[in-house]
Amino acid sequence: GFSRWGPPTMRKVNVWCIANCVARENEIFEEHVQYNLGATLTQLGFDLKALAATARATGAIDSDPMFAASGRTRVPGQGKPAHGTLRGEGPFDVEDFLCSMTQDVWNRRMLSRLTRDYAPALNYQGPTNRSYRSLAQYQSALLSLLAMFPDLSFEPEGLYYMQDGAGTTWTSLRWSATGVHGGHGPYGAPTGREVRIWGITQHKIEGETITEEWMKFNEFDLLRQLAPDPVT
């Protein structure tokens, strides 16, 4: 069928998404969804960077009107980010574990938490069908992202989880991040632009170790935010 991206291509696509739904009495009243749009467009034959530039030039995707008033909060003033909450003695606390880990890794750049909290044979599925089968690959990708956005500020916004009673915990963490594109990487040369990213990450935690992770964030919109300004 026709879409805003053009006429039918007759290509087959394989796409997955993450949906966080909140229900009361079997009725969903709140939902947050992340679609794998980058993967869809790639399988349809599009060049993501070229299409993002076109979308920026034509206004096919509107910017968040509230973003202009945002501010980076990772390092207020010249201070350091706060330490993540440290788990004390006692039973495993899922919320404490994930919030302290994300604060330490993403905001304090304490990548040693990865080897402490993730399994070496991590199974990871990410945006635009990225797939890693080791913690080393995951760490390399994370370092690349932090190199492109050196002041990236990560903020958890909602956490949901369930436990099976046998030591396995399933979680879904909704988050947002802001940062300035100040370094080289897969998204191209630095543009100096401030970007907003939001996403959902799900984990499988066995005991106290993350063994699987599924992450979705608005990668195509991120490319649109970094695309060249339209020529006037």
Side-chain angles (χ1 to χ4, degrees), residues 8 18 32 38 44 54 56 65 77 84 87 101 105 108 110 119-120 132 141-142 158 165 174 199 219 224:
I18 295 177
H32 302 268
L44 291 178
T54 300
R56 182 182 181 89
R87 294 203 314 266
M101 187 271 291
V105 170
R108 294 186 64 84
M110 296 170 58
Y132 306 139
L142 190 152
R174 181 165 46 85
E219 186 169 42
R224 183 196 58 78

Side-chain angles (χ1 to χ4, degrees), residues 91-172:
F92 177 66
D93 186 299
V94 180
E95 183 173 358
D96 191 44
F97 170 77
L98 279 181
C99 288
S100 67
M101 187 271 291
T102 53
Q103 169 74 339
D104 284 346
V105 170
W106 289 96
N107 292 338
R108 294 186 64 84
R109 313 301 194 245
M110 296 170 58
L111 300 188
S112 61
R113 285 293 300 262
L114 296 176
T115 55
R116 168 182 155 183
D117 295 333
Y118 281 81
L122 174 71
N123 180 9
Y124 170 88
Q125 300 291 328
T128 318
N129 285 354
R130 289 182 180 84
S131 181
Y132 306 139
R133 292 294 180 268
S134 72
L135 177 58
Q137 291 179 315
Y138 178 81
Q139 180 171 301
S140 177
L142 190 152
L143 284 169
S144 177
L145 186 63
L146 293 178
M148 288 185 287
F149 302 96
D151 65 345
L152 190 72
S153 171
F154 183 95
E155 184 68 28
E157 295 184 351
L159 172 64
Y160 310 87
Y161 66 89
M162 62 181 182
Q163 297 169 304
D164 66 358
T168 298
T169 304
W170 303 87
T171 73
S172 191

Side-chain angles (χ1 to χ4, degrees), residues 66-102:
M66 297 301 292
F67 182 51
S70 71
R72 299 186 299 282
T73 58
R74 186 180 78 85
V75 185
Q78 296 300 315
K80 297 180 180 179
H83 281 284
T85 305
L86 298 177
R87 294 203 314 266
E89 299 296 328
F92 177 66
D93 186 299
V94 180
E95 183 173 358
D96 191 44
F97 170 77
L98 279 181
C99 288
S100 67
M101 187 271 291
T102 53

